[in-house]
Amino acid sequence: MRESMSLRSAYNHGLKLVTEILGGDSESRKAVDLLLRHCKEGLIPTSELDTETALLLEHFRLALPIGAIYDSLSWSMRIFTLSDMEIPYIVRYFFEDLKSGIFDWRKTVERYFRDIGEKRPHEFAEIFEEIVGRSRNLIICGEDIVDISMKYGRDGGVIIAEIKGAGLISPTVGCGKFGRARAPLYEINRFFYELVQHF
């Protein structure tokens, strides 16, 4: 009984904090409710969305419209229309964990990378934290991700592919000068960025 009370308390605490990160209003509560209900299948149906909630979900990169220009997976190429929205894998994992009373983005990242077969999955939380630390306005240069990966003895290309597949980053439109670097640019998942900043 005490354990179930503890899990319920952790769930309520996590729910409150996530809602606050999203703005603390009725739209934030609706967005969280939709994510909790649909995290398992990974798709929020159009019939349950309104424009304001869909915009909030897209803004934080919690869910994205399915349609994209040139069938691109890049977040910046998604066409915003009121349509079914896809929940990135790492967001699905986070809300599954939250339902279980776990409110710890590091544990979520570790569980995801363990499930896809990565050795030393805890390093991915550390790598992502460093990516957030080096980013500017939610953007990081590919060369920076490669540098961070090398510190952990990992291949930068593999790291980029895997954290992109998780939904922690996405290629953003354009390459070119970013500070002094010339390399592909990546956008960081805004929700996970906020989690790192707060916790």
Side-chain angles (χ1 to χ4, degrees):
M1 179 72 170
R2 183 168 288 175
E3 185 178 337
S4 67
M5 289 289 285
S6 174
L7 286 174
R8 182 178 293 253
S9 174
Y11 169 78
N12 288 334
H13 177 70
L15 201 60
K16 181 176 184 248
L17 292 173
V18 168
T19 304
E20 285 174 10
I21 287 171
L22 302 186
D25 57 10
S26 60
E27 290 303 326
S28 305
R29 288 187 288 280
K30 182 174 180 182
V32 170
D33 179 59
L34 287 169
L35 290 160
L36 289 167
R37 278 193 283 130
H38 296 289
C39 62
K40 189 172 178 72
E41 64 270 17
L43 198 69
I44 302 173
T46 313
S47 59
E48 296 187 37
L49 289 163
D50 57 65
T51 303
E52 290 77 18
T53 307
L55 285 168
L56 179 71
L57 289 165
E58 186 197 28
H59 175 73
F60 281 95
R61 304 308 194 202
L62 288 163
L64 297 140
I66 291 177
I69 299 168
Y70 309 121
D71 295 325
S72 172
L73 296 177
S74 171
W75 300 333
S76 60
M77 299 296 277
R78 298 293 177 108
I79 304 164
F80 187 81
T81 57
L82 199 54
S83 63
D84 291 354
M85 295 186 82
E86 179 183 20
I87 305 169
Y89 287 110
I90 200 68
V91 175
R92 297 178 200 183
Y93 269 65
F94 180 84
F95 281 90
E96 285 172 6
D97 284 350
L98 183 57
K99 282 165 77 169
S100 303
I102 299 165
F103 181 70
D104 184 336
W105 70 267
R106 290 172 186 85
K107 286 184 180 175
T108 296
V109 169
E110 186 174 337
R111 182 169 75 89
Y112 173 83
F113 285 101
R114 182 182 306 112
D115 283 359
I116 68 165
E118 271 298 335
K119 292 180 177 140
R120 307 186 316 272
H122 66 279
E123 289 182 356
F124 283 84
E126 296 168 21
I127 289 167
F128 183 66
E129 201 160 14
E130 287 197 45
I131 287 171
V132 167
R134 282 212 207 174
S135 70
R136 289 192 314 214
N137 300 319
L138 296 170
I139 302 294
I140 187 160
C141 175
E143 289 176 357
D144 284 337
I145 299 175
V146 170
D147 288 346
I148 293 165
S149 303
M150 288 172 61
K151 285 174 55 180
Y152 293 86
R154 293 182 179 266
D155 180 281
V158 171
I159 293 294
I160 289 170
E162 290 192 342
I163 62 176
K164 187 170 63 171
L168 287 167
I169 63 169
S170 175
T172 192
V173 175
C175 295
K177 291 190 177 180
F178 182 65
R180 290 183 303 224
R182 289 177 81 69
L185 303 177
Y186 296 90
E187 177 190 349
I188 296 171
N189 182 297
R190 185 181 298 269
F191 177 68
F192 271 81
Y193 177 92
E194 293 294 336
L195 289 175
V196 171
Q197 297 300 315
H198 285 81
F199 310 100

